[in-house]
Amino acid sequence: MPPASDFLASLRRAFGARSTSAQPPLPFPGGRPLALVYRGPAARPAGCSEAVAALLASGPWDLDVRYTGPHEEIPLSATALAHAHVYAQPGGGSLSAAYRRLKKHADEIRDYVHGGGRYLGFCLGGYLAGATPGFALLPGDTDQYIATPGATIHNDRDTLVETAWRGLTRTLYFQDGPHFILDRDADVTILATYPNGTIAALVTPFGNGRVGVVGPHPEATDDWFLDEGLSVHHTHDLGLDLVTEVLE
């Protein structure tokens, strides 16, 4: 991996002209596909961004995983996204607070995905893929799973949720994640559902790009469970399944 200063210098040289959404990702140093993971005030508490980055780095895609955000060496911008093979939006705090911070980037993210980019949204990042408020990347919208009829969880505390992931029962870390509401005849691949049948994870096209979103946290590391007194469930294989479906 080249030093961050060399990487940034190469990006700045490439940023002489802003790219348009119709263009494919620009070349970037090292020749490996670039994965940008948001890290900043719209992804709190600490550990959410790092868990997503670790998931992306652990897969078979040979990704060059970097952080982007207001306090990172790579600022979130259209020019940075133009170099990215995939952009990941981790979990975090409340939807309204996060969208206030990211609203200025909404058109950049939409243009990036529409032009052929890939978006991954985990929990809050799944909410942000919706429209009220959000980046409007889905053929439908999002809402709280805990508010749905027949939900198995009724509060916003950190807990476990059971899902049917590609037809197999799997238990994941969960903290007030979304379910996904689809328009009629939406073109989606449903990866997982909650016990009441609402959608927990899906992948869908958006323009020339693809969007993958998940309500629970397949990227959760052992310490997430242990810190909350929960039994540990290893679910990285589900996170890898989501990412693979988006990238391929």
Side-chain angles (χ1 to χ4, degrees):
M1 179 181 294
S5 59
D6 294 346
F7 180 82
L8 290 171
S10 299
L11 283 182
R12 292 187 186 104
R13 287 195 295 270
F15 286 177
R18 292 182 72 89
S19 58
T20 67
S21 61
Q23 293 175 320
L26 299 174
F28 51 88
R32 295 162 59 204
L34 176 64
L36 289 178
V37 178
Y38 176 87
R39 184 166 66 177
R44 294 284 190 251
C48 291
S49 299
E50 290 78 4
V52 170
L55 175 70
L56 293 174
S58 71
W61 314 286
D62 192 29
L63 296 172
D64 185 357
V65 182
R66 309 274 179 159
Y67 294 112
T68 184
H71 307 301
E72 300 297 328
E73 291 186 296
I74 302 176
L76 179 57
S77 66
T79 45
L81 288 168
H83 290 75
H85 186 54
V86 59
Y87 170 76
Q89 189 73 51
S94 72
L95 173 60
S96 57
Y99 188 68
R100 282 197 301 270
R101 295 180 181 276
L102 291 169
K103 183 178 180 180
K104 62 184 177 182
H105 300 294
D107 288 342
E108 296 169 347
I109 292 170
R110 280 179 56 82
D111 288 347
Y112 157 72
V113 181
H114 195 274
R118 304 294 195 262
Y119 176 95
L120 287 167
F122 297 80
C123 193
L124 175 61
Y127 277 116
L128 284 165
T132 55
F135 307 139
L137 298 173
L138 300 175
D141 207 349
T142 69
D143 204 350
Q144 292 174 289
Y145 166 64
I146 63 174
T148 59
T152 54
I153 300 167
H154 306 286
N155 57 67
D156 62 3
R157 293 193 296 270
D158 297 68
T159 187
L160 303 174
V161 70
E162 186 177 287
T163 67
W165 194 290
R166 294 196 188 267
L168 299 177
T169 300
R170 298 294 298 271
T171 302
L172 293 92
Y173 191 97
F174 182 83
Q175 196 274 314
D176 196 16
H179 76 108
F180 302 100
I181 306 162
L182 300 180
D183 297 336
R184 185 178 301 223
D185 300 324
D187 178 11
V188 302
T189 298
I190 297 173
L191 299 181
T193 56
Y194 295 108
N196 64 356
T198 56
I199 300 171
L202 64 82
V203 174
T204 185
F206 181 75
N208 293 321
R210 286 176 72 78
V211 176
V213 288
V214 58
H217 287 278
E219 80 283 10
T221 53
D222 288 3
D223 59 299
W224 290 28
F225 296 90
L226 296 173
D227 288 348
E228 298 297 329
L230 302 170
S231 58
V232 175
H233 291 263
H234 296 123
T235 56
H236 272 209
D237 62 310
L238 305 182
L240 296 176
D241 183 35
L242 172 69
V243 179
T244 297
E245 191 74 31
V246 170
L247 295 186
E248 295 183 354

